[in-house]
Amino acid sequence: MGAVMSVEPEYAWPRPPAGGYTAEDLDRIPDLPPHTELIDGSLVFVSPQTAFHARAMRLLENRLLQAAPPELDVFREMTVTLGKRDRPEPDVVVVRAEALTRLRQTGFRPEDVVLAVEVVSDDSEARDRETKPRKYAAAGIPHFWRVEAGEGEDGAASPVAYVFELEPATRAYAVTGIHHERLKTDVPFPVDIDLTAVARRM
């Protein structure tokens, strides 16, 4: 008899309901890929990340955690429920410490968030530069950082951090600084980050 070949079953992609998914659905849909986001009622799947993205997230999380006062906490890749049809996942988020009520918690409310940080990937440029900051601002999140891989003189990736603060009257972000090599700011709390450390093991 010939050998029996096993055939892997194809992944069954979720079928969206009429009107799209809601924020609550994200916790109920089985077998979603890790770090799935909900934007405008549609599921957004994350592509494999680069070493730059991974190291930038680790650097920012560690430095923010070291600098944050006791009343604040720092998390990586936790969702924020902005509304019924929007539940994005910032790469790093600073929240009020009391917002964490249980260790099985999967996300936060926008009023709990002090700072949302996005590290831009090739497949997320439009979302990280336009869609998500617009939604974060509309939800009243006071601070937003966007970190991108610029190019240094040697051709290596060199982080550039764009720092934004919410203008309350317009509910839009205003850029307050563009930082190369070093991100030093006093808001939402004093922090000094050597951005070049992304090129080194930390």
Side-chain angles (χ1 to χ4, degrees):
M1 286 182 63
V4 177
M5 295 181 63
S6 67
V7 178
E8 290 289 328
E10 288 189 17
Y11 179 76
W13 295 100
R15 290 175 177 246
Y21 291 105
T22 66
E24 291 79 13
D25 290 332
L26 213 54
D27 289 325
R28 296 194 290 251
I29 302 170
D31 302 321
L32 282 178
H35 311 300
T36 300
E37 300 181 278
L38 185 72
I39 305 290
D40 293 325
S42 296
L43 299 176
V44 177
F45 304 115
V46 178
S47 297
Q49 297 300 326
T50 63
F52 170 84
H53 192 277
R55 280 190 166 182
M57 283 197 303
R58 183 169 61 192
L59 171 68
L60 293 165
E61 180 188 27
N62 289 345
R63 296 299 183 267
L64 285 167
L65 197 54
Q66 290 168 2
E71 64 271 18
L72 298 177
D73 206 345
V74 181
F75 293 90
R76 189 168 71 184
E77 300 171 312
M78 293 276 284
T79 59
V80 180
T81 301
L82 302 181
K84 183 178 179 181
R85 291 163 49 84
D86 287 297
R87 192 172 162 188
E89 184 183 276
D91 288 313
V92 180
V93 67
V94 178
V95 300
R96 293 178 176 83
E98 67 267 20
L100 183 70
T101 58
R102 62 192 189 284
L103 290 180
R104 290 186 179 272
Q105 191 167 322
T106 59
F108 298 100
R109 303 171 302 170
E111 55 265 36
D112 298 323
V113 179
V114 175
L115 166 67
V117 183
E118 296 289 354
V119 179
V120 178
S121 300
D122 289 344
D123 73 325
S124 69
E125 281 187 4
R127 291 193 303 275
D128 292 343
R129 291 175 177 175
E130 301 167 21
T131 307
K132 292 169 79 172
R134 175 169 40 83
K135 290 179 180 292
Y136 294 153
I141 294 174
H143 300 277
F144 172 68
W145 296 355
R146 189 182 79 238
V147 178
E148 304 201 15
E151 191 169 299
E153 293 181 3
D154 58 356
S158 175
V160 181
Y162 300 84
V163 174
F164 300 85
E165 191 167 342
L166 186 67
E167 205 289 281
T170 61
R171 283 275 178 144
Y173 286 127
V175 64
T176 59
I178 300 174
H179 303 261
H180 303 259
E181 298 188 352
R182 183 182 184 193
L183 194 172
K184 186 175 182 180
T185 180
D186 291 327
V187 290
F189 48 83
V191 64
D192 190 348
I193 302 174
D194 175 11
L195 295 173
T196 66
V198 79
R200 304 186 295 273
R201 179 179 172 182
M202 294 164 284

